[in-house]
Amino acid sequence: MVTQFSLSQRAQLAEKARQRFLAEAGRAMVDLSAAVQNRLSELMGEAGSSRDMQSRRDAWMLFQQSRTAWLDGTVKVWEAALKPPDKKDKLLKDEEEAGLELVGTDVVENKILASRLVMGVMEQVSSELDDLRIRIKFLEGREELDGHDILRPEVSILLMVEQWATCGMPRDSWPMVNDVVHKLLTERLKVAYAHCNEFLIEQGVMPNIDLKDRVKRAPATSGGRPGSPRGQDAGHAPQEDANSQRGQGQAAYPADSGAYGAGAPQ
């Protein structure tokens, strides 16, 4: 039997799912900062060239000062991402996604670092994430999650990488900790997505996802996260949107579909 939801109930459930995800991601950041600290300490004891040893010492010392700022800064920008951007911010984001904005070197380099991490994470979390995307799209009556949605790995990971530099860590120190970040973040995001799915299933949101829910297309709708979900028949989930690249200018870090990859279940 299909559970019927009012528009306000749908909006509340979608928001609660995002809040639950963010709470788990925040706890993961605490463990992640500790894992990074341990990794940098391990590197201090490993053999290497004098230049490598100096770079490791510098990174270790800087992280002692920057660890709290990286942790708190990342959680703060994640929380801010829960709110839809205002019209000016949305216009800037749309221009960037369309390749119309002049992008600085720092922005490009952050996106390159983040995109590599996103691809690795997506290989492991795509199944749980795709199920959650379908359920959220059902609740909000949309074809696809917004480009700024915190549920997108490319959004949360890019914000985390940006905070690495913002807190004072040199960008070239990131490869020292990338592997440990990848391992722990993959494990924790997969669990977080699974828990969000479990929560929605408990509320009666699409307990079973059929193949037709993954491949059929929804009627065209206007973009942007709605204040309340659009009036869509509660018995039908919004259809999956085909992934598409936005051109060569976004190849390093696609803003829309690229981070999910062609290998993600549709």
Side-chain angles (χ1 to χ4, degrees), residues 48 123 168 225 242:
E123 290 178 358
R225 185 186 303 177

Side-chain angles (χ1 to χ4, degrees), residues 114-130 153-154 157 182-183 185-187 189-190 193 258-265:
S115 66
R116 292 168 180 165
L117 186 55
V118 168
M119 287 188 290
V121 170
M122 277 303 305
E123 290 178 358
Q124 303 299 320
V125 307
S126 59
S127 178
E128 290 290 351
L129 174 57
D130 276 353
E154 64 266 38
I157 290 176
H182 170 262
K183 182 178 185 298
L185 195 61
T186 297
E187 294 171 355
L189 288 185
K190 185 173 184 177
Y193 289 133
Y260 290 106

Side-chain angles (χ1 to χ4, degrees), residues 59-197:
W60 183 88
M61 292 180 65
L62 281 171
F63 194 69
Q64 311 313 301
Q65 306 167 16
S66 305
R67 176 177 173 179
T68 299
W70 181 51
L71 169 59
D72 293 344
T74 298
V75 173
K76 184 176 181 180
V77 293
W78 281 352
E79 291 173 346
L82 280 176
K83 302 176 183 178
D86 58 31
K87 291 183 179 180
K88 182 178 180 181
D89 288 341
K90 188 176 188 303
L91 178 60
L92 291 174
K93 288 179 181 293
D94 290 344
E95 289 179 349
E96 181 179 348
E97 291 176 6
L100 301 177
E101 183 185 25
L102 293 177
V103 181
T105 301
D106 289 347
V107 174
V108 172
E109 291 181 353
N110 284 336
K111 288 187 174 183
I112 291 174
L113 289 177
S115 66
R116 292 168 180 165
L117 186 55
V118 168
M119 287 188 290
V121 170
M122 277 303 305
E123 290 178 358
Q124 303 299 320
V125 307
S126 59
S127 178
E128 290 290 351
L129 174 57
D130 276 353
D131 285 355
L132 181 58
R133 289 168 66 202
I134 291 171
R135 291 187 171 100
I136 294 295
K137 291 189 306 184
F138 163 68
L139 290 171
E140 296 185 334
R142 62 171 67 249
E143 288 188 62
E144 187 53 274
L145 301 182
D146 284 340
H148 65 269
D149 200 310
I150 192 61
L151 294 177
R152 288 179 174 268
E154 64 266 38
V155 172
S156 58
I157 290 176
L158 176 58
L159 291 172
M160 178 186 67
V161 170
E162 288 176 340
Q163 287 302 305
W164 182 262
T166 299
C167 75
M169 292 299 296
R171 193 172 288 104
D172 59 9
S173 66
W174 181 262
M176 299 180 190
V177 302
N178 184 78
D179 288 349
V180 70
V181 171
H182 170 262
K183 182 178 185 298
L184 182 57
L185 195 61
T186 297
E187 294 171 355
R188 299 297 289 272
L189 288 185
K190 185 173 184 177
V191 170
Y193 289 133
H195 286 170
C196 287
N197 277 312

